[in-house]
C-alpha cells in the first residue's frame, strides 16, 4: 500500500493534496504536526471529508516531526482527533498513554506502534520490532537510517528474519531508498511518500514517481530487480531510461538506484534481492573488475573499466557500453569509412577518456591525448599506443594535427566551471567535429565555440542514452522502445 504523508499547513490544503494524488495512493497519514495550531480543531473532521483510510500522527522532533508544545497537549489533541474515526493512529514505542489506547480500541482505530532512528540501524531491531506491539492488533513500525552498504545488507536480513510478521519497516536516506520501492516484496505493510517538493522524511518520493516511474503497484516477489550502483547515485537519470523501457516492453522488472560504498557488502544484498543486472557508475567502474567472470570481455579488459553487470550462473559478466554509446551518434551521422580515416584528439585522461580512446581506435582513428597533468596523458598514451601532450601551448599546437574530431572528457564546462573551456587557446576552423561528453549543460562553452565556427557538434546526452539502450539490450535481450529516438 502507498501512504501519502499530508504535509499541508491547513486541512483544506491537505484535501487538495489528496484530490491531486487520489488515484496514486491507498491511504494518507495526517501529519498534524505540520498544521497551523488553529487548524487542529478541524483534525477530527478529516476522515469524514475523504474516501481514503487515514493515519493520525503528531510527530515529535526526536522522531522527525514538528510538534514542540507540551506533551499533555499532544495527548489531548490525539484524543480529540481520534473522535473523528481515524482508521489508524501512530503512537510512539516509548509513549505511555493507556487512556488513548483504550479510546483507540473503542473507536476501532488500529495503533501503529512506531520508532525512528535517524542515525543507524539498531543492532536489536528484530527483537525490538517483535516486542513493540502491546496487543496483537497493533502494527509495529520502524524507520531506520542505513549509512553504508553493510547497513543496507543488515536491513535486508532483518526483512528476511521478520518474513510473515505484520510490520512497517523502511530504510531512510539514500542507502535505504530501495526498501521504500520494494516494500511489497520485502513484506512491509505500507510505504510512505510525500507530495512533490514537500518531503516529510529523508528518501520520500512523490506518489506519481512511485506509480509511474517505479510502477510500485506491479512490484511483487516475482518482479526482476535491476539497478545502478554508485556513490553518489540518487541524481542519476538511469532509472528513468530503464524503467520507461521495462514499461514499454511490458516486462515485469524494476530498476533502482543503489547507493554503494563497498562493492563486496553490496554484492551480498544483490544475492538476497536476486538482482539480474546492474549499471555501474563512479566510483566503482574500476573496482568492480576483480569480481567479474573470467575471461573478461574484450572492451572491459582493454578499457580497464566496466559499466554493466549481467547476472550469470555463478558470477557477474561485465561489459562496457560507454564505448559503443560514445560512438553511436557518430555512426548515426558518418559512415565507418568516413570515421576510419580521421584523426582525433581527446581532452582529458580520466576514466571516461579511456573508454573513448578505445572506441576511437576500434573505429580505426589515430588518437592524440591532451591532459592538464601531462604525466597522465603520457601514461594513457603508452597504454593505448597513441600520441600525447600536456594541455599547454605545445599541446594546443599539436592539436591541429589531430583535429578532425575533438572530444572533451574533463569536468571543465560543467558546474561550477560552466563558463570555462579546457582548450580556450584553440581557434576552431569550422571543419572539426566537436564532441563534449558533459550532458548538463547540454551545450558547454567548448561546444558553443565550435558551433560559432560552424563545426558539427555532439553533446553527452545522446551518449548517455545510447549506453543505456545497449545496457537495456544486455539486460532484457530486447531493444529499448526508444532506441534511436533523440
Ligand atoms: P572521469 O572518470 O569522468 O573521466 P576523472 O577520472 O576524475 O573523471 O578525470 C577527470 C579528468 O578531468 C582528468 O583528465 C583531469 O585532469 P588531471 O588529470 O590533470 O586532473 C581533468 N580535469 C579536471 N579538472 C580540470 C581542470 N580544471 N582543467 C583541466 N582538466 C581538468
Amino acid at each position: 500500500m502507498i501512504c501519502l504523508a499530508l504535509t499541508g499547513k491547513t486541512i483544506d490544503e491537505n484535501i487538495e493534496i489528496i484530490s491531486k494524488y487520489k488515484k496514486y495512493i491507498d491511504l494518507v497519514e495526517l501529519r498534524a504536526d505540520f498544521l497551523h495550531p488553529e487548524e487542529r480543531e478541524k483534525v477530527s473532521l478529516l476522515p469524514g471529508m475523504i474516501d481514503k483510510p487515514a493515519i493520525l500522527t503528531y510527530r515529535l522532533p526526536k522522531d522527525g516531526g514538528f510538534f514542540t508544545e507540551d506533551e499533555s497537549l499532544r495527548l489531548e489533541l490525539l484524543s480529540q482527533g481520534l473522535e473523528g474515526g481515524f482508521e489508524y493512529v501512530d503512537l510512539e514505542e516509548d509513549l505511555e498513554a493507556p487512556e488513548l489506547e483504550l479510546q483507540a480500541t473503542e473507536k476501532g482505530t488500529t495503533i501503529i506502534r512506531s520508532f525512528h532512528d535517524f542515525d543507524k540501524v539498531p543492532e536489536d531491531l528484530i527483537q525490538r520490532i517483535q516486542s513493540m506491539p502491546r496487543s496483537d492488533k497493533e502494527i509495529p513500525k520502524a524507520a531506520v537510517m542505513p549509512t553504508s552498504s553493510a547497513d543496507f545488507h543488515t536491513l535486508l536480513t532483518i526483512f528476511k528474519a521478520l518474513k510473515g510478521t505484520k510490520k512497517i519497516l523502511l530504510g531512510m536516506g539514500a542507502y535505504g531508498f530501495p526498501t521504500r520501492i520494494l516494500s511489497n516484496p520485502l513484506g512491509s505493510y505500507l510505504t510512505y511518500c510525500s507530495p512533490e517538493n514537500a518531503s516529510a522524511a529523508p528518501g520520500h518520493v512523490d506518489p506519481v514517481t512511485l506509480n509511474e516511474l517505479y510502477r510500485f503497484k506491479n512490484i511483487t516477489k516475482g518482479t526482476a530487480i535491476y539497478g545502478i550502483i554508485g556513490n553518489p547515485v540518487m541524481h542519476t537519470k538511469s532509472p528513468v531510461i530503464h524503467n520507461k523501457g521495462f514499461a514499454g516492453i511490458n516486462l515485469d522488472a524494476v530498476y533502482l538506484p543503489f547507493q554503494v560504498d563497498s562493492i563486496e557488502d553490496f554484492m551480498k544484498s544483490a544475492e538476497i534481492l536476486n538482482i539480474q543486472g546492474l549499471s555501474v557508475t563512479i566510483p566503482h567502474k574500476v573496482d568492480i573488475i576483480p569480481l567479474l567472470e573470467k575471461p573478461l570481455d574484450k572492451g572491459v579488459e582493454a578499457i580497464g573499466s566496466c559499466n554493466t553487470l549481467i547476472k550469470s550462473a555463478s558470477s557477474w559478466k561485465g561489459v562496457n557500453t560507454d564505448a559503443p554509446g560514445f560512438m553511436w551518434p557518430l555512426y548515426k551521422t558518418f559512415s565507418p569509412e568516413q570515421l576510419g580515416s580521421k584523426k582525433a584528439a581527446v581532452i582529458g585522461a580520466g576514466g571516461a577518456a579511456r573508454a573513448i580512446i578505445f572506441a576511437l581506435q576500434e573505429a580505426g582513428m589515430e588518437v592524440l591525448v591532451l591532459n592538464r597533468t601531462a604525466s597522465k596523458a603520457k601514461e594513457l598514451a603508452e597504454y593505448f599506443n597513441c600520441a600525447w601532450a600536456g594541455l599547454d601551448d605545445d599541446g594546443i599546437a599539436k592539436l591541429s594535427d589531430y583535429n578532425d574530431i575533438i572530444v572533451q572528457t574533463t569536468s571543465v564546462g560543467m558546474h561550477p566551471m560552466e563558463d570555462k573551456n579546457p582548450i580556450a587557446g584553440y581557434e576552431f576552423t569550422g571543419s572539426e567535429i566537436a564532441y563534449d561528453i558533459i550532458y548538463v549543460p547540454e551545450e558547454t562553452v567548448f561546444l558553443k565555440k565550435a558551433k560559432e565556427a560552424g563545426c558539427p557538434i555532439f553533446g553527452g546526452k545522446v551518449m548517455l542514452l545510447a549506453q543505456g539502450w545497449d545496457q537495456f539490450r544486455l539486460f532484457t535481450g530486447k531493444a529499448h522502445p526508444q532506441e534511436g529516438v533523440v
Side-chain angles (χ1 to χ4, degrees):
M1 288 201 292
I2 296 179
C3 177
L4 175 65
L6 298 172
T7 50
K9 298 258 178 286
T10 66
I11 295 292
D12 283 350
E13 197 186 321
N14 282 329
I15 299 284
E16 245 173 71
I17 294 172
I18 296 170
S19 63
K20 178 174 173 190
Y21 293 116
K22 205 171 159 173
K23 69 172 181 177
Y24 298 110
I25 57 175
D26 301 298
L27 72 165
V28 297
E29 177 187 41
L30 176 62
R31 284 289 303 272
D33 53 301
F34 276 78
L35 291 174
H36 282 311
E38 63 269 24
E39 287 286 311
R40 290 169 182 163
E41 62 190 34
K42 297 189 207 154
V43 163
S44 62
L45 302 177
L46 184 88
M49 295 163 84
I50 60 176
D51 55 6
K52 302 272 179 200
I55 306 171
L56 174 61
T57 304
Y58 276 94
R59 274 266 177 274
L60 296 169
K62 75 172 174 63
D63 297 311
F66 297 97
F67 191 88
T68 51
E69 293 154 77
D70 223 44
E71 181 63 357
S72 58
L73 174 63
R74 191 171 77 107
L75 297 185
E76 198 181 310
L77 289 169
L78 278 165
S79 172
Q80 279 172 20
L82 282 184
E83 285 307 303
F86 278 81
E87 206 88 13
Y88 305 89
V89 62
D90 186 308
L91 301 179
E92 295 75 13
E93 179 197 26
D94 53 0
L95 179 71
E96 291 305 331
E99 284 172 23
L100 211 52
E101 285 166 23
L102 196 65
Q103 184 188 1
T105 312
E106 280 170 9
K107 283 271 163 198
T109 301
T110 300
I111 294 173
I112 295 173
R113 188 64 68 175
S114 69
F115 94 90
H116 297 77
D117 191 325
F118 288 91
D119 297 322
K120 59 183 183 306
V121 179
E123 278 181 17
D124 59 350
L125 188 56
I126 295 177
Q127 296 82 338
R128 222 160 145 178
I129 290 175
Q130 282 168 337
S131 59
M132 260 175 10
R134 297 181 192 178
S135 78
D136 56 7
K137 297 246 163 33
E138 292 194 4
I139 304 172
K141 169 191 169 179
V144 297
M145 184 69 86
T147 60
S148 64
S149 299
D151 282 354
F152 178 60
H153 175 250
T154 302
L155 195 52
L156 292 182
T157 60
I158 293 169
F159 270 108
K160 244 176 125 174
L162 292 174
K163 205 173 129 200
T165 303
K166 193 173 189 181
K167 69 203 168 284
I168 300 167
L169 176 55
L170 51 100
M172 296 185 282
Y175 284 100
F177 182 77
T179 65
R180 295 190 181 277
I181 308 297
L182 300 176
S183 68
N184 277 341
L186 287 175
S188 180
Y189 186 63
L190 54 80
T191 195
Y192 293 89
C193 61
S194 294
E196 271 165 287
N197 307 320
S199 179
H204 274 198
V205 283
D206 65 84
V208 182
T209 303
L210 256 186
N211 282 275
E212 293 191 347
L213 178 62
Y214 291 107
R215 297 187 295 157
F216 180 89
K217 293 269 167 66
N218 297 347
I219 303 176
T220 64
K221 286 202 170 82
T223 301
I225 301 174
Y226 294 85
I228 176 161
I229 58 172
N231 191 2
V233 77
M234 295 306 286
H235 66 283
T236 101
K237 294 276 174 283
S238 297
V240 177
I241 299 176
H242 291 284
N243 283 317
K244 275 193 178 163
F246 293 153
I249 63 165
N250 231 335
L251 190 74
D252 184 10
V254 65
Y255 183 103
L256 304 168
F258 293 102
Q259 174 97 358
V260 169
D261 65 348
S262 153
I263 293 173
E264 284 73 21
D265 288 337
F266 176 75
M267 285 310 179
K268 293 188 260 168
S269 299
E271 284 300 312
I272 294 182
L273 293 174
N274 195 19
I275 291 177
Q276 298 298 305
L278 288 164
S279 310
V280 186
T281 190
I282 292 162
H284 301 309
K285 288 187 180 190
V286 176
D287 304 352
I288 196 79
I289 292 180
L291 271 77
L292 301 178
E293 185 178 281
K294 307 282 182 313
L296 289 179
D297 168 81
K298 180 177 162 233
V300 169
E301 173 115 59
I303 298 163
S305 80
C306 169
N307 78 330
T308 312
L309 303 183
I310 304 125
K311 181 85 178 271
S312 68
S314 59
S315 161
W316 295 91
K317 184 175 162 46
V319 180
N320 192 313
T321 69
D322 285 333
F326 166 77
M327 289 306 294
W328 189 87
L330 293 175
Y331 280 129
K332 194 161 188 270
T333 318
F334 305 99
S335 69
E337 292 71 33
Q338 282 173 314
L339 289 175
S341 58
K342 293 198 186 307
K343 291 173 86 175
V346 175
I347 318 298
R354 295 181 75 93
I356 288 164
I357 298 168
F358 171 79
L360 293 167
Q361 288 187 332
E362 283 273 289
M365 289 181 237
E366 271 184 62
V367 178
L368 164 72
V369 193
L370 297 179
N371 195 47
R372 177 178 62 178
T373 310
S375 59
K376 276 168 74 181
K378 181 168 183 266
E379 204 179 302
L380 215 55
E382 282 169 357
Y383 181 81
F384 284 104
N385 195 18
C386 65
W388 67 275
L391 203 48
D392 46 23
D393 290 349
D394 254 13
I396 299 296
K398 246 189 177 162
L399 183 55
S400 301
D401 284 335
Y402 289 84
N403 63 357
D404 296 329
I405 301 183
I406 304 178
V407 187
Q408 197 305 105
T409 75
T410 77
S411 45
V412 182
M414 73 168 101
H415 182 76
M417 294 186 277
E418 304 86 333
D419 57 344
K420 298 267 186 315
N421 170 4
I423 51 164
Y426 177 79
E427 289 291 334
F428 285 96
T429 65
S431 65
E432 302 90 339
I433 296 165
Y435 196 145
D436 199 323
I437 68 164
I438 290 174
Y439 56 92
V440 181
E442 280 191 32
E443 216 173 281
T444 57
V445 176
F446 165 84
L447 287 184
K448 281 201 178 90
K449 283 268 176 219
K451 194 171 159 186
E452 276 164 25
C455 304
I457 61 165
F458 294 87
K461 199 174 148 197
V462 183
M463 173 180 171
L464 177 78
L465 290 172
Q467 62 80 29
W469 299 328
D470 273 352
Q471 288 186 333
F472 191 84
R473 270 185 187 279
L474 291 163
F475 290 158
T476 66
K478 297 209 168 85
H480 191 286
Q482 280 164 334
E483 189 174 293
V485 181
V486 291

